[in-house]
């Protein structure tokens, strides 16, 4: 694989130094770890580098996928470049436009992921993920991935499928890049209009339609900022699998995938031993399926206390389970 893509310094260039040097970086990674496992709701103020970290985790899983379950060896470089490109376009309309124009219509493993936020009401927002590919150099297929679309009131699209395709002419690429960029980084949206991105894409799309797909995994708690971004990547992989059904899932079991994510995060050299140990404990909690025993509100209260006291061991693992 291209050394630029496997070199840690290449990833560092895409993630701000202040983010990784922040004193709360380790705790932020613990939050992301637990959200990916569906243990807690999002309590973070969203930061663009959260998603860069998340995609870098998936990148490393693919890089070390010697079983070739995610992608064949001959296509691994293209997929890696696609993920790398996806985290390198923020926050610039010109970079995004350039990345979209460089998509290879002859290679189905060439794609661009773009998580985007939108308001669903005056007081709440939601995150979806766009998977962009090029079709015969004439148009872009912009697939909106949102597994919770059916729950949105006053949704501007006629259908509320988990995947909805917009076909955008290449001559509208600047408008597309502008609208996507304006929808980045929830909750700091640059507009108040409900369903901003969906309405804008409807205006510039040549056509649009729902795709007849379902996701095997669901978003179980309020962690759309990371979860829908994960579903976008999951869809990007699944859509390139030759043995596909209409049920979108990882090429390995969800529990195995979560284990790989947890192990990859625990190998982060920037994390303190304490945080790595807490990640291990949380994964054991997830593995044992103890969340159906713990009452959700009780667990959430313990999680809040653990954050305040910075003592996860005491608050979460030394108490008897509530039944």
């Amino acid at each position: 694989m291209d050394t630029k893509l496997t070199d840690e310094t290449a990833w560092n260039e895409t993630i701000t130094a202040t983010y990784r040097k922040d004193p709360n970086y380790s705790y932020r990674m613990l939050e992301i770890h637990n959200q990916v496992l569906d243990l807690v709701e999002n309590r973070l103020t969203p930061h663009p580098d959260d998603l860069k970290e998340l995609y870098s985790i998936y990148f490393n899983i693919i890089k070390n996928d010697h079983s070739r379950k995610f992608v064949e060896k001959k296509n691994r470089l293209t997929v890696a470049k696609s993920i790398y490109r996806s985290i390198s376009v923020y926050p610039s309309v010109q970079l995004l436009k350039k990345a979209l124009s460089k998509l290879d219509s002859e290679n189905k493993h060439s794609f661009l992921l773009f998580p985007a936020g939108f308001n669903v009401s005056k007081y709440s927002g939601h995150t979806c993920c766009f998977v962009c590919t090029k079709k015969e150099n004439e148009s872009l297929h912009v697939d909106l991935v949102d597994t919770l679309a059916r729950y949105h009131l006053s949704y501007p699209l006629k259908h509320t499928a988990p995947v909805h395709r917009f076909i955008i002419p290449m001559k509208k690429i600047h408008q597309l890049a502008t609208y996507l960029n304006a929808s980045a980084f929830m909750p700091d949206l640059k507009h108040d209009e409900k369903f901003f991105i969906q309405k804008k894409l409807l205006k510039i799309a040549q056509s649009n339609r729902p795709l007849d797909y379902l996701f095997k995994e669901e978003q179980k708690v309020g962690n759309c900022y990371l979860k829908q971004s994960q579903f976008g990547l999951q869809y990007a992989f699944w859509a390139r699998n030759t043995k596909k059904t209409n049920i979108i899932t990882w090429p390995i079991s969800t529990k195995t995938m979560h284990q790989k994510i947890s192990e990859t995060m625990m190998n982060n050299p920037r994390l303190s031993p304490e945080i790595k140990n807490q990640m291990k404990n949380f994964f054991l909690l997830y593995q044992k399926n103890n969340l159906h025993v713990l009452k959700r509100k009780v667990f959430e209260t313990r999680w809040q206390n653990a954050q305040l006291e910075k003592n996860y061991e005491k608050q979460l693992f030394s108490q008897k389970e509530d039944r």
Side-chain angles (χ1 to χ4, degrees), residues 60-274:
N60 281 300
I61 290 173
I62 295 164
K63 184 180 73 174
N64 297 313
D65 176 35
H66 303 297
S67 64
R68 303 177 188 176
K69 288 186 176 180
F70 285 90
V71 62
E72 295 179 5
K73 187 176 180 180
K74 63 180 181 180
N75 297 318
R76 200 184 299 178
L77 177 59
T78 306
V79 170
K81 284 183 176 179
S82 293
I83 298 176
Y84 184 78
R85 182 189 300 119
S86 298
I87 69 169
S88 303
V89 296
Y90 301 105
S92 165
V93 173
Q94 290 305 317
L95 285 177
L96 182 52
K97 181 180 176 181
K98 184 178 179 180
L100 288 168
S101 63
K102 281 192 170 184
L103 290 172
D104 185 358
S105 61
E106 301 297 323
N107 191 331
K108 67 178 183 178
H109 295 89
S110 176
F111 58 85
L112 178 75
L113 300 166
F114 196 91
F118 56 91
N119 291 318
V120 295
S121 71
K122 185 176 180 180
Y123 301 104
S124 64
H126 182 60
T127 300
C128 63
C129 186
F130 289 97
V131 182
C132 307
T133 54
K134 188 183 287 186
K135 184 69 173 177
E136 297 176 353
N137 289 320
E138 296 179 356
S139 61
L140 290 165
H141 283 187
V142 181
D143 295 345
L144 186 162
V145 176
D146 182 3
T147 63
L148 298 184
R150 65 187 182 277
Y151 297 113
H152 301 324
L153 298 177
S154 305
Y155 201 53
L157 303 180
K158 291 182 180 179
H159 304 277
T160 55
V163 183
H164 195 99
R165 173 166 293 171
F166 298 87
I167 298 179
I168 311 293
M170 287 300 295
K171 63 182 180 180
K172 299 289 183 68
I173 192 171
H174 181 76
Q175 292 100 311
L176 173 62
T178 301
Y179 295 146
L180 287 177
N181 194 68
S183 300
F185 312 153
M186 280 287 289
D188 299 322
L189 294 177
K190 304 176 182 65
H191 46 78
D192 297 319
E193 184 180 355
K194 289 171 57 178
F195 304 109
F196 170 87
I197 187 62
Q198 290 90 339
K199 292 177 180 177
K200 293 301 182 184
L201 292 189
L202 281 173
K203 288 183 178 180
I204 64 173
Q206 176 180 312
S207 61
N208 73 91
R209 63 185 176 90
L211 301 183
D212 187 23
Y213 303 137
L214 297 172
F215 282 80
K216 185 175 182 179
E217 190 180 351
E218 296 181 356
Q219 180 185 319
K220 299 174 183 177
V221 295
N223 57 351
C224 63
Y225 183 60
L226 295 175
K227 204 67 179 180
Q228 296 298 327
S229 301
Q230 172 191 306
F231 287 144
L233 181 60
Q234 193 178 86
Y235 169 68
F237 281 129
W238 173 90
R240 281 139 194 87
N241 189 338
T242 54
K243 298 178 180 179
K244 59 187 180 185
T245 66
N246 69 329
I247 306 297
I248 301 170
T249 185
W250 292 116
I252 56 179
S253 72
T254 300
K255 283 194 173 183
T256 302
M257 185 63 188
H258 283 168
Q259 182 177 356
K260 285 182 176 292
I261 293 170
S262 185
E263 290 172 350
T264 302
M265 292 194 74
M266 282 189 277
N267 286 332
N268 186 338
R270 300 173 189 83
L271 300 185
S272 66
E274 175 197 2

